[in-house]
Amino acid sequence: VPILQELIQSGEEEDACIELLSNILEVLYKAQKRAEELQRQCDTHKGRHKDRGDTELAKVKKHIQLILEQLLHTVNRRVIILDRENTLRSHYVACMAAILSQMDRDHYNTYIKAFPSRPELMDFLMETFILFKDLIGKTVYPSDWMVMNMVQNREFLRAINQFATTLTEMFLSNSSFELQLWNNYFHLAVAFLTQDSLQLENFSQAKRNSILAKYGDMRARIGAAIRDMWYNLGRRKIEFIPGMVGPILEMTLVPELELRRSTIPIFFDMMLCEYQLTSSFSRFEDEILRKLDSEVEGGRGDKQYKQLFESILLSCCQRHPELAEPGKSFVALVTGLLERLLDYRAVMNDENKTYSMSCTVNLLNFYKEIDRQAMYIRYLYKLKDLHVSYENYTEGAYTLLLHARLLKWSDEANTAPMQGLHSPSLHTQRQLKEALYNQIIDYFDQGKVSLTTGSAWLLSHGGALTYPNSCPPAPLPLQQREAKFYEKILKVLRPSPDYFAVGYYGQGFPTFLRNKVFIYRGKEYERREDFEMQLLSPFPNAEKLKSTSPPGQEITESPGQYIQCFTVQPVEEAKARFKDRSIPEQITNFYKANHIQKFSYSRPFKKGPKDPDNEFATMWIERTTFETAYPLPGILRWFVVISTSTTNISPLENAIETMMKTNEKIMSEINRHQNDPSLPVNPLSMLLNGIVDPAVMGGFAKYETAFFQESYLQEHPEDEANIEKLKDLIAWQTPLLAEGIRIHRRKVTEDLRPFHERMEQCFVQLRAKVESQYGVREMVCFEDRRSGRPRSMAWGSDWDRLSHAGDRQVLTEATQTPKPSLRTAESEDRRSERKENHSSAFFGYRRQDLRQSISELPEPKDEKRRLSRNMSESNLFLSEGKQPPPSRDSTGAQPSTAGLSQSPTGFGGRVKSASKAAPLPRKISPTVYETFLEQIDAA
């Protein structure tokens, strides 16, 4: 042994040291066996032979003990000195395990007592705990060397339990308590319990059975020791809170049922200990929430643990009335987080990151609700990284915006941990907030779909380019960048996205999807077939439901997976900030399909006796409206539906709605061509021809047959107001068509000239019929539009709020028409005629300022005269080279406000009472029509 000690101290001839050490251990092993044999022989003798044998045996044991003590101390020091990567270390560790295997309880007790002073003993225990923890964390043997690893663990466990007894006896009293020594013990014991070589559930059944038969489950034994040592601490427990919360949590998450049952109650003891001292357990709660996140993400925890945690802690809290309510809230908080974390972990590594994003949002919302800002920001950046990896730049921008809102325009230091690629030089909240807004604008720019309005919205809400009053103005480069974004609003084409309702039904889906409906925002020009294929790919066993009706209980409670998918339409809501403001149509069109929280699906059905000649009379609409948790687009491309409502739209209400949409479509095409003359004329051609040519679409004659008969009004007197609205919409369609045909005439090619002439002939007949039955409408706004850029006003309430039984309106006006300035004086008979006119207004597209005299508006270049019954610049009767009849408004007329009014349907312009002349025949020449107009004027 002295030779061995000398060789080891020199650090040379390591092979000789190991060989000599092995020989000594072999001699000790034989001596130990010989001592056991002598013990048996002594037990069989009596008298002086037994006394002599006991004396000799005691000498042998004493020599063995001394040698073991010397070897243990020497080898421990050598293992500590050797580098972890040194292959010789494993040889010394094997020798150390052999030494420990030959030490019994008496050897340990004698060895501990041999230390001359208490500090030296404490240093030895400290070094041993650190050494064991190091050897457990980075084992010196390959993982498949099961026997060597298990032998080492068996001897380490025996030594740890022996040293735990020493701790309790010598370092627990008030005068001798050593916090760091106890802390090292707990961390060593937890590291031993959670090491990979003891996790039997990861081994094959045969290997597991072999280990249990020979060594047993050492996790249960060390777990019981940890529990007993914790309860031995008494009033010292508070000194280990919250430091020991993480290690104890890690131990309880080990998937061994009995271990969990014996160790989970330690959490309640921690809660009770802190509550008795501070009347709360906030430190414990904060630490367990923080540690639970990292542990579950690392692969620990399951549903069984969630159930055990809930049942054991609730049972413990019920036995202590003062902790009943706070304990119940705490358990609900932890189990709620655990459920979300398990959902997140289940989809975290999927190739399709769609559901990872959903689970990430669930988690960040949870942390926001419980006010854990650091964890909230952590998951914000996880979500942002997922979006950017899938090129969802718009959603990534909205995600970063949530972090930017948490910051102030001040020089306060950043308290939350830095995330992402932000420079460490961003020390103040102002610096970080500005950097975030610049990144947000970049993402909006890359997002294409909503980059311009999104950026403008950001700027208008205190973004990087619009500073608070206390801040200096933005630098010139940023202002130039802002100008480019505003320019894109009017010039960049932004296709409207499609929206899809997706329902996940059946118990086979994870909890965050099960029996829920989501609204998805489709990508640019994405077909529903492609979307459905992508939707079904993560669930190859799912069955697609063909019906769009909500499934019954036999589907929702079944163990399978059923997916329902159909297209929904966005429901635009009135924008208060647009009221009484002139807004470019590009912006109003954008808000019809973006920043939407309500979506509708319409299903037609028949009700009442079927009318074979007119299907519109019995065509009802079942409209289902879905409301999402948040507007789209947002931090996700989809959001869960939080409420659903269903209403039935009557045939008359359906007709009103159809006419509104048609009129809006015409106006939209007019706006587009007014703003960009280079647009192709084909879409306008198809739209106009489908309305004015009865052979194509049938027009609105079906509505007249179904709803304008006296018999219908007698059966449905409550629909009188809606009938008037429908008539008003039909009347207002005429000037819209006139303007559209005028634009079409200007742009039509020679090849399509016959098509255009046919369309004008049909319109002449249609116009004569409508004006004779429903009155004349004139759109003065078109005159104003030719003098500048086409603009539009904000819409009123959504079209779903149609009149039903007389208690709902078709549209709620968003603005009041400005009072027009006086026109030139008119004759008395002209004024009396205007008094008979009923009010009407153009829905949404109204003049912002009518101060300019109507007579002063510019004339169109391709027209010489204007018909008073036409829209201000429409002239459809220039064919055959003839001039239209002179206007009834004389050139010297005086200013007047008569005739400019609003209707219940929202249109604005001049309204004249309907003449009672009979409808014109289907074919009529311009000459005959002029004569007819002159007769009407004379009348």
Side-chain angles (χ1 to χ4, degrees), residues 339-359:
E339 181 177 350
R340 290 169 174 82
L341 288 171
L342 291 174
D343 288 340
Y344 173 75
R345 190 182 70 190
V347 298
M348 185 171 56
N349 297 320
D350 288 355
E351 292 183 5
N352 189 332
K353 296 299 182 182
T354 299
Y355 305 110
S356 297
M357 296 176 188
S358 289
C359 293

mmCIF file with all atom_site columns, all heavy atoms in Angstrom, residues 339-359:
data_model
loop_
_atom_site.group_PDB
_atom_site.id
_atom_site.type_symbol
_atom_site.label_atom_id
_atom_site.label_alt_id
_atom_site.label_comp_id
_atom_site.label_asym_id
_atom_site.label_entity_id
_atom_site.label_seq_id
_atom_site.pdbx_PDB_ins_code
_atom_site.Cartn_x
_atom_site.Cartn_y
_atom_site.Cartn_z
_atom_site.occupancy
_atom_site.B_iso_or_equiv
_atom_site.pdbx_formal_charge
_atom_site.auth_seq_id
_atom_site.auth_comp_id
_atom_site.auth_asym_id
_atom_site.auth_atom_id
_atom_site.pdbx_PDB_model_num
ATOM 1   N N   . GLU A 1 339 ? -51.351 20.347 -18.959 1.00 0.00 ? 339 GLU A N   1
ATOM 2   C CA  . GLU A 1 339 ? -52.113 19.885 -20.122 1.00 0.00 ? 339 GLU A CA  1
ATOM 3   C C   . GLU A 1 339 ? -51.652 20.580 -21.394 1.00 0.00 ? 339 GLU A C   1
ATOM 4   O O   . GLU A 1 339 ? -51.464 19.939 -22.434 1.00 0.00 ? 339 GLU A O   1
ATOM 5   C CB  . GLU A 1 339 ? -53.599 20.145 -19.886 1.00 0.00 ? 339 GLU A CB  1
ATOM 6   C CG  . GLU A 1 339 ? -54.493 19.680 -21.021 1.00 0.00 ? 339 GLU A CG  1
ATOM 7   C CD  . GLU A 1 339 ? -55.962 19.887 -20.723 1.00 0.00 ? 339 GLU A CD  1
ATOM 8   O OE1 . GLU A 1 339 ? -56.306 20.208 -19.577 1.00 0.00 ? 339 GLU A OE1 1
ATOM 9   O OE2 . GLU A 1 339 ? -56.780 19.730 -21.649 1.00 0.00 ? 339 GLU A OE2 1
ATOM 10  N N   . ARG A 1 340 ? -51.439 21.879 -21.329 1.00 0.00 ? 340 ARG A N   1
ATOM 11  C CA  . ARG A 1 340 ? -50.983 22.621 -22.510 1.00 0.00 ? 340 ARG A CA  1
ATOM 12  C C   . ARG A 1 340 ? -49.556 22.227 -22.904 1.00 0.00 ? 340 ARG A C   1
ATOM 13  O O   . ARG A 1 340 ? -49.236 22.148 -24.092 1.00 0.00 ? 340 ARG A O   1
ATOM 14  C CB  . ARG A 1 340 ? -51.060 24.119 -22.237 1.00 0.00 ? 340 ARG A CB  1
ATOM 15  C CG  . ARG A 1 340 ? -52.487 24.653 -22.146 1.00 0.00 ? 340 ARG A CG  1
ATOM 16  C CD  . ARG A 1 340 ? -52.518 26.078 -21.602 1.00 0.00 ? 340 ARG A CD  1
ATOM 17  N NE  . ARG A 1 340 ? -53.847 26.654 -21.638 1.00 0.00 ? 340 ARG A NE  1
ATOM 18  C CZ  . ARG A 1 340 ? -54.787 26.437 -20.729 1.00 0.00 ? 340 ARG A CZ  1
ATOM 19  N NH1 . ARG A 1 340 ? -54.528 25.637 -19.704 1.00 0.00 ? 340 ARG A NH1 1
ATOM 20  N NH2 . ARG A 1 340 ? -55.969 27.002 -20.826 1.00 0.00 ? 340 ARG A NH2 1
ATOM 21  N N   . LEU A 1 341 ? -48.722 21.995 -21.896 1.00 0.00 ? 341 LEU A N   1
ATOM 22  C CA  . LEU A 1 341 ? -47.345 21.591 -22.191 1.00 0.00 ? 341 LEU A CA  1
ATOM 23  C C   . LEU A 1 341 ? -47.297 20.208 -22.833 1.00 0.00 ? 341 LEU A C   1
ATOM 24  O O   . LEU A 1 341 ? -46.495 19.966 -23.749 1.00 0.00 ? 341 LEU A O   1
ATOM 25  C CB  . LEU A 1 341 ? -46.515 21.598 -20.911 1.00 0.00 ? 341 LEU A CB  1
ATOM 26  C CG  . LEU A 1 341 ? -46.157 22.973 -20.339 1.00 0.00 ? 341 LEU A CG  1
ATOM 27  C CD1 . LEU A 1 341 ? -45.540 22.836 -18.960 1.00 0.00 ? 341 LEU A CD1 1
ATOM 28  C CD2 . LEU A 1 341 ? -45.212 23.727 -21.270 1.00 0.00 ? 341 LEU A CD2 1
ATOM 29  N N   . LEU A 1 342 ? -48.139 19.297 -22.381 1.00 0.00 ? 342 LEU A N   1
ATOM 30  C CA  . LEU A 1 342 ? -48.171 17.961 -22.979 1.00 0.00 ? 342 LEU A CA  1
ATOM 31  C C   . LEU A 1 342 ? -48.666 18.023 -24.423 1.00 0.00 ? 342 LEU A C   1
ATOM 32  O O   . LEU A 1 342 ? -48.154 17.311 -25.297 1.00 0.00 ? 342 LEU A O   1
ATOM 33  C CB  . LEU A 1 342 ? -49.054 17.032 -22.142 1.00 0.00 ? 342 LEU A CB  1
ATOM 34  C CG  . LEU A 1 342 ? -48.509 16.663 -20.753 1.00 0.00 ? 342 LEU A CG  1
ATOM 35  C CD1 . LEU A 1 342 ? -49.540 15.869 -19.974 1.00 0.00 ? 342 LEU A CD1 1
ATOM 36  C CD2 . LEU A 1 342 ? -47.213 15.873 -20.868 1.00 0.00 ? 342 LEU A CD2 1
ATOM 37  N N   . ASP A 1 343 ? -49.669 18.870 -24.683 1.00 0.00 ? 343 ASP A N   1
ATOM 38  C CA  . ASP A 1 343 ? -50.140 19.058 -26.060 1.00 0.00 ? 343 ASP A CA  1
ATOM 39  C C   . ASP A 1 343 ? -49.029 19.624 -26.935 1.00 0.00 ? 343 ASP A C   1
ATOM 40  O O   . ASP A 1 343 ? -48.829 19.193 -28.079 1.00 0.00 ? 343 ASP A O   1
ATOM 41  C CB  . ASP A 1 343 ? -51.353 19.997 -26.080 1.00 0.00 ? 343 ASP A CB  1
ATOM 42  C CG  . ASP A 1 343 ? -52.607 19.339 -25.524 1.00 0.00 ? 343 ASP A CG  1
ATOM 43  O OD1 . ASP A 1 343 ? -52.655 18.089 -25.481 1.00 0.00 ? 343 ASP A OD1 1
ATOM 44  O OD2 . ASP A 1 343 ? -53.527 20.065 -25.118 1.00 0.00 ? 343 ASP A OD2 1
ATOM 45  N N   . TYR A 1 344 ? -48.319 20.612 -26.397 1.00 0.00 ? 344 TYR A N   1
ATOM 46  C CA  . TYR A 1 344 ? -47.222 21.235 -27.151 1.00 0.00 ? 344 TYR A CA  1
ATOM 47  C C   . TYR A 1 344 ? -46.122 20.214 -27.457 1.00 0.00 ? 344 TYR A C   1
ATOM 48  O O   . TYR A 1 344 ? -45.612 20.150 -28.580 1.00 0.00 ? 344 TYR A O   1
ATOM 49  C CB  . TYR A 1 344 ? -46.669 22.407 -26.345 1.00 0.00 ? 344 TYR A CB  1
ATOM 50  C CG  . TYR A 1 344 ? -45.434 23.042 -26.931 1.00 0.00 ? 344 TYR A CG  1
ATOM 51  C CD1 . TYR A 1 344 ? -45.521 23.876 -28.044 1.00 0.00 ? 344 TYR A CD1 1
ATOM 52  C CD2 . TYR A 1 344 ? -44.185 22.812 -26.381 1.00 0.00 ? 344 TYR A CD2 1
ATOM 53  C CE1 . TYR A 1 344 ? -44.391 24.469 -28.575 1.00 0.00 ? 344 TYR A CE1 1
ATOM 54  C CE2 . TYR A 1 344 ? -43.046 23.394 -26.912 1.00 0.00 ? 344 TYR A CE2 1
ATOM 55  C CZ  . TYR A 1 344 ? -43.157 24.218 -28.007 1.00 0.00 ? 344 TYR A CZ  1
ATOM 56  O OH  . TYR A 1 344 ? -42.039 24.793 -28.541 1.00 0.00 ? 344 TYR A OH  1
ATOM 57  N N   . ARG A 1 345 ? -45.752 19.409 -26.473 1.00 0.00 ? 345 ARG A N   1
ATOM 58  C CA  . ARG A 1 345 ? -44.695 18.423 -26.678 1.00 0.00 ? 345 ARG A CA  1
ATOM 59  C C   . ARG A 1 345 ? -45.111 17.356 -27.684 1.00 0.00 ? 345 ARG A C   1
ATOM 60  O O   . ARG A 1 345 ? -44.286 16.852 -28.456 1.00 0.00 ? 345 ARG A O   1
ATOM 61  C CB  . ARG A 1 345 ? -44.344 17.755 -25.342 1.00 0.00 ? 345 ARG A CB  1
ATOM 62  C CG  . ARG A 1 345 ? -43.095 16.896 -25.394 1.00 0.00 ? 345 ARG A CG  1
ATOM 63  C CD  . ARG A 1 345 ? -42.850 16.248 -24.057 1.00 0.00 ? 345 ARG A CD  1
ATOM 64  N NE  . ARG A 1 345 ? -43.837 15.233 -23.752 1.00 0.00 ? 345 ARG A NE  1
ATOM 65  C CZ  . ARG A 1 345 ? -43.969 14.638 -22.572 1.00 0.00 ? 345 ARG A CZ  1
ATOM 66  N NH1 . ARG A 1 345 ? -43.170 14.984 -21.578 1.00 0.00 ? 345 ARG A NH1 1
ATOM 67  N NH2 . ARG A 1 345 ? -44.880 13.717 -22.381 1.00 0.00 ? 345 ARG A NH2 1
ATOM 68  N N   . ALA A 1 346 ? -46.411 17.023 -27.706 1.00 0.00 ? 346 ALA A N   1
ATOM 69  C CA  . ALA A 1 346 ? -46.883 15.967 -28.605 1.00 0.00 ? 346 ALA A CA  1
ATOM 70  C C   . ALA A 1 346 ? -46.711 16.343 -30.070 1.00 0.00 ? 346 ALA A C   1
ATOM 71  O O   . ALA A 1 346 ? -46.523 15.468 -30.920 1.00 0.00 ? 346 ALA A O   1
ATOM 72  C CB  . ALA A 1 346 ? -48.345 15.648 -28.312 1.00 0.00 ? 346 ALA A CB  1
ATOM 73  N N   . VAL A 1 347 ? -46.778 17.635 -30.387 1.00 0.00 ? 347 VAL A N   1
ATOM 74  C CA  . VAL A 1 347 ? -46.700 18.056 -31.795 1.00 0.00 ? 347 VAL A CA  1
ATOM 75  C C   . VAL A 1 347 ? -45.425 18.839 -32.081 1.00 0.00 ? 347 VAL A C   1
ATOM 76  O O   . VAL A 1 347 ? -45.242 19.315 -33.204 1.00 0.00 ? 347 VAL A O   1
ATOM 77  C CB  . VAL A 1 347 ? -47.934 18.911 -32.161 1.00 0.00 ? 347 VAL A CB  1
ATOM 78  C CG1 . VAL A 1 347 ? -49.211 18.106 -32.010 1.00 0.00 ? 347 VAL A CG1 1
ATOM 79  C CG2 . VAL A 1 347 ? -48.006 20.167 -31.291 1.00 0.00 ? 347 VAL A CG2 1
ATOM 80  N N   . MET A 1 348 ? -44.570 18.979 -31.085 1.00 0.00 ? 348 MET A N   1
ATOM 81  C CA  . MET A 1 348 ? -43.391 19.843 -31.233 1.00 0.00 ? 348 MET A CA  1
ATOM 82  C C   . MET A 1 348 ? -42.472 19.371 -32.349 1.00 0.00 ? 348 MET A C   1
ATOM 83  O O   . MET A 1 348 ? -41.887 20.178 -33.079 1.00 0.00 ? 348 MET A O   1
ATOM 84  C CB  . MET A 1 348 ? -42.635 19.881 -29.908 1.00 0.00 ? 348 MET A CB  1
ATOM 85  C CG  . MET A 1 348 ? -41.459 20.825 -29.868 1.00 0.00 ? 348 MET A CG  1
ATOM 86  S SD  . MET A 1 348 ? -40.796 20.973 -28.188 1.00 0.00 ? 348 MET A SD  1
ATOM 87  C CE  . MET A 1 348 ? -40.450 19.251 -27.804 1.00 0.00 ? 348 MET A CE  1
ATOM 88  N N   . ASN A 1 349 ? -42.328 18.070 -32.505 1.00 0.00 ? 349 ASN A N   1
ATOM 89  C CA  . ASN A 1 349 ? -41.385 17.530 -33.484 1.00 0.00 ? 349 ASN A CA  1
ATOM 90  C C   . ASN A 1 349 ? -42.051 17.062 -34.769 1.00 0.00 ? 349 ASN A C   1
ATOM 91  O O   . ASN A 1 349 ? -41.415 16.400 -35.585 1.00 0.00 ? 349 ASN A O   1
ATOM 92  C CB  . ASN A 1 349 ? -40.604 16.371 -32.857 1.00 0.00 ? 349 ASN A CB  1
ATOM 93  C CG  . ASN A 1 349 ? -39.753 16.822 -31.679 1.00 0.00 ? 349 ASN A CG  1
ATOM 94  O OD1 . ASN A 1 349 ? -39.154 17.895 -31.723 1.00 0.00 ? 349 ASN A OD1 1
ATOM 95  N ND2 . ASN A 1 349 ? -39.719 16.029 -30.621 1.00 0.00 ? 349 ASN A ND2 1
ATOM 96  N N   . ASP A 1 350 ? -43.335 17.379 -34.953 1.00 0.00 ? 350 ASP A N   1
ATOM 97  C CA  . ASP A 1 350 ? -44.014 17.003 -36.198 1.00 0.00 ? 350 ASP A CA  1
ATOM 98  C C   . ASP A 1 350 ? -43.443 17.788 -37.374 1.00 0.00 ? 350 ASP A C   1
ATOM 99  O O   . ASP A 1 350 ? -43.007 18.943 -37.226 1.00 0.00 ? 350 ASP A O   1
ATOM 100 C CB  . ASP A 1 350 ? -45.520 17.276 -36.098 1.00 0.00 ? 350 ASP A CB  1
ATOM 101 C CG  . ASP A 1 350 ? -46.211 16.286 -35.172 1.00 0.00 ? 350 ASP A CG  1
ATOM 102 O OD1 . ASP A 1 350 ? -45.525 15.356 -34.711 1.00 0.00 ? 350 ASP A OD1 1
ATOM 103 O OD2 . ASP A 1 350 ? -47.406 16.449 -34.921 1.00 0.00 ? 350 ASP A OD2 1
ATOM 104 N N   . GLU A 1 351 ? -43.466 17.167 -38.540 1.00 0.00 ? 351 GLU A N   1
ATOM 105 C CA  . GLU A 1 351 ? -43.015 17.879 -39.738 1.00 0.00 ? 351 GLU A CA  1
ATOM 106 C C   . GLU A 1 351 ? -43.939 19.039 -40.056 1.00 0.00 ? 351 GLU A C   1
ATOM 107 O O   . GLU A 1 351 ? -43.507 20.098 -40.481 1.00 0.00 ? 351 GLU A O   1
ATOM 108 C CB  . GLU A 1 351 ? -42.954 16.902 -40.925 1.00 0.00 ? 351 GLU A CB  1
ATOM 109 C CG  . GLU A 1 351 ? -41.863 15.837 -40.786 1.00 0.00 ? 351 GLU A CG  1
ATOM 110 C CD  . GLU A 1 351 ? -41.792 14.955 -42.013 1.00 0.00 ? 351 GLU A CD  1
ATOM 111 O OE1 . GLU A 1 351 ? -42.516 15.243 -42.996 1.00 0.00 ? 351 GLU A OE1 1
ATOM 112 O OE2 . GLU A 1 351 ? -41.020 13.987 -42.002 1.00 0.00 ? 351 GLU A OE2 1
ATOM 113 N N   . ASN A 1 352 ? -45.240 18.822 -39.873 1.00 0.00 ? 352 ASN A N   1
ATOM 114 C CA  . ASN A 1 352 ? -46.207 19.895 -40.077 1.00 0.00 ? 352 ASN A CA  1
ATOM 115 C C   . ASN A 1 352 ? -46.292 20.723 -38.799 1.00 0.00 ? 352 ASN A C   1
ATOM 116 O O   . ASN A 1 352 ? -46.767 20.251 -37.771 1.00 0.00 ? 352 ASN A O   1
ATOM 117 C CB  . ASN A 1 352 ? -47.579 19.298 -40.410 1.00 0.00 ? 352 ASN A CB  1
ATOM 118 C CG  . ASN A 1 352 ? -48.569 20.358 -40.854 1.00 0.00 ? 352 ASN A CG  1
ATOM 119 O OD1 . ASN A 1 352 ? -48.467 21.516 -40.456 1.00 0.00 ? 352 ASN A OD1 1
ATOM 120 N ND2 . ASN A 1 352 ? -49.534 19.970 -41.663 1.00 0.00 ? 352 ASN A ND2 1
ATOM 121 N N   . LYS A 1 353 ? -45.826 21.960 -38.873 1.00 0.00 ? 353 LYS A N   1
ATOM 122 C CA  . LYS A 1 353 ? -45.750 22.803 -37.688 1.00 0.00 ? 353 LYS A CA  1
ATOM 123 C C   . LYS A 1 353 ? -47.047 23.559 -37.413 1.00 0.00 ? 353 LYS A C   1
ATOM 124 O O   . LYS A 1 353 ? -47.084 24.415 -36.530 1.00 0.00 ? 353 LYS A O   1
ATOM 125 C CB  . LYS A 1 353 ? -44.612 23.814 -37.846 1.00 0.00 ? 353 LYS A CB  1
ATOM 126 C CG  . LYS A 1 353 ? -43.224 23.180 -37.943 1.00 0.00 ? 353 LYS A CG  1
ATOM 127 C CD  . LYS A 1 353 ? -42.874 22.401 -36.693 1.00 0.00 ? 353 LYS A CD  1
ATOM 128 C CE  . LYS A 1 353 ? -41.484 21.822 -36.779 1.00 0.00 ? 353 LYS A CE  1
ATOM 129 N NZ  . LYS A 1 353 ? -41.142 21.010 -35.584 1.00 0.00 ? 353 LYS A NZ  1
ATOM 130 N N   . THR A 1 354 ? -48.103 23.245 -38.158 1.00 0.00 ? 354 THR A N   1
ATOM 131 C CA  . THR A 1 354 ? -49.365 23.955 -37.973 1.00 0.00 ? 354 THR A CA  1
ATOM 132 C C   . THR A 1 354 ? -49.855 23.845 -36.543 1.00 0.00 ? 354 THR A C   1
ATOM 133 O O   . THR A 1 354 ? -50.205 24.837 -35.900 1.00 0.00 ? 354 THR A O   1
ATOM 134 C CB  . THR A 1 354 ? -50.423 23.397 -38.933 1.00 0.00 ? 354 THR A CB  1
ATOM 135 O OG1 . THR A 1 354 ? -49.987 23.595 -40.274 1.00 0.00 ? 354 THR A OG1 1
ATOM 136 C CG2 . THR A 1 354 ? -51.755 24.098 -38.738 1.00 0.00 ? 354 THR A CG2 1
ATOM 137 N N   . TYR A 1 355 ? -49.878 22.622 -36.029 1.00 0.00 ? 355 TYR A N   1
ATOM 138 C CA  . TYR A 1 355 ? -50.423 22.419 -34.694 1.00 0.00 ? 355 TYR A CA  1
ATOM 139 C C   . TYR A 1 355 ? -49.426 22.832 -33.617 1.00 0.00 ? 355 TYR A C   1
ATOM 140 O O   . TYR A 1 355 ? -49.824 23.140 -32.493 1.00 0.00 ? 355 TYR A O   1
ATOM 141 C CB  . TYR A 1 355 ? -50.852 20.961 -34.542 1.00 0.00 ? 355 TYR A CB  1
ATOM 142 C CG  . TYR A 1 355 ? -51.824 20.573 -35.631 1.00 0.00 ? 355 TYR A CG  1
ATOM 143 C CD1 . TYR A 1 355 ? -51.455 19.693 -36.646 1.00 0.00 ? 355 TYR A CD1 1
ATOM 144 C CD2 . TYR A 1 355 ? -53.090 21.127 -35.674 1.00 0.00 ? 355 TYR A CD2 1
ATOM 145 C CE1 . TYR A 1 355 ? -52.336 19.373 -37.656 1.00 0.00 ? 355 TYR A CE1 1
ATOM 146 C CE2 . TYR A 1 355 ? -53.977 20.817 -36.676 1.00 0.00 ? 355 TYR A CE2 1
ATOM 147 C CZ  . TYR A 1 355 ? -53.601 19.936 -37.680 1.00 0.00 ? 355 TYR A CZ  1
ATOM 148 O OH  . TYR A 1 355 ? -54.465 19.623 -38.683 1.00 0.00 ? 355 TYR A OH  1
ATOM 149 N N   . SER A 1 356 ? -48.142 22.843 -33.931 1.00 0.00 ? 356 SER A N   1
ATOM 150 C CA  . SER A 1 356 ? -47.165 23.395 -32.992 1.00 0.00 ? 356 SER A CA  1
ATOM 151 C C   . SER A 1 356 ? -47.449 24.867 -32.743 1.00 0.00 ? 356 SER A C   1
ATOM 152 O O   . SER A 1 356 ? -47.327 25.366 -31.615 1.00 0.00 ? 356 SER A O   1
ATOM 153 C CB  . SER A 1 356 ? -45.740 23.225 -33.537 1.00 0.00 ? 356 SER A CB  1
ATOM 154 O OG  . SER A 1 356 ? -45.405 21.871 -33.668 1.00 0.00 ? 356 SER A OG  1
ATOM 155 N N   . MET A 1 357 ? -47.842 25.578 -33.801 1.00 0.00 ? 357 MET A N   1
ATOM 156 C CA  . MET A 1 357 ? -48.170 26.993 -33.642 1.00 0.00 ? 357 MET A CA  1
ATOM 157 C C   . MET A 1 357 ? -49.388 27.172 -32.742 1.00 0.00 ? 357 MET A C   1
ATOM 158 O O   . MET A 1 357 ? -49.405 28.050 -31.869 1.00 0.00 ? 357 MET A O   1
ATOM 159 C CB  . MET A 1 357 ? -48.417 27.619 -35.016 1.00 0.00 ? 357 MET A CB  1
ATOM 160 C CG  . MET A 1 357 ? -47.211 27.638 -35.929 1.00 0.00 ? 357 MET A CG  1
ATOM 161 S SD  . MET A 1 357 ? -47.631 28.298 -37.568 1.00 0.00 ? 357 MET A SD  1
ATOM 162 C CE  . MET A 1 357 ? -46.117 27.982 -38.470 1.00 0.00 ? 357 MET A CE  1
ATOM 163 N N   . SER A 1 358 ? -50.404 26.333 -32.933 1.00 0.00 ? 358 SER A N   1
ATOM 164 C CA  . SER A 1 358 ? -51.604 26.430 -32.088 1.00 0.00 ? 358 SER A CA  1
ATOM 165 C C   . SER A 1 358 ? -51.258 26.201 -30.627 1.00 0.00 ? 358 SER A C   1
ATOM 166 O O   . SER A 1 358 ? -51.699 26.950 -29.747 1.00 0.00 ? 358 SER A O   1
ATOM 167 C CB  . SER A 1 358 ? -52.651 25.404 -32.544 1.00 0.00 ? 358 SER A CB  1
ATOM 168 O OG  . SER A 1 358 ? -53.204 25.757 -33.778 1.00 0.00 ? 358 SER A OG  1
ATOM 169 N N   . CYS A 1 359 ? -50.479 25.161 -30.364 1.00 0.00 ? 359 CYS A N   1
ATOM 170 C CA  . CYS A 1 359 ? -50.107 24.862 -28.976 1.00 0.00 ? 359 CYS A CA  1
ATOM 171 C C   . CYS A 1 359 ? -49.229 25.955 -28.389 1.00 0.00 ? 359 CYS A C   1
ATOM 172 O O   . CYS A 1 359 ? -49.321 26.263 -27.191 1.00 0.00 ? 359 CYS A O   1
ATOM 173 C CB  . CYS A 1 359 ? -49.397 23.511 -28.910 1.00 0.00 ? 359 CYS A CB  1
ATOM 174 S SG  . CYS A 1 359 ? -50.466 22.116 -29.311 1.00 0.00 ? 359 CYS A SG  1
#
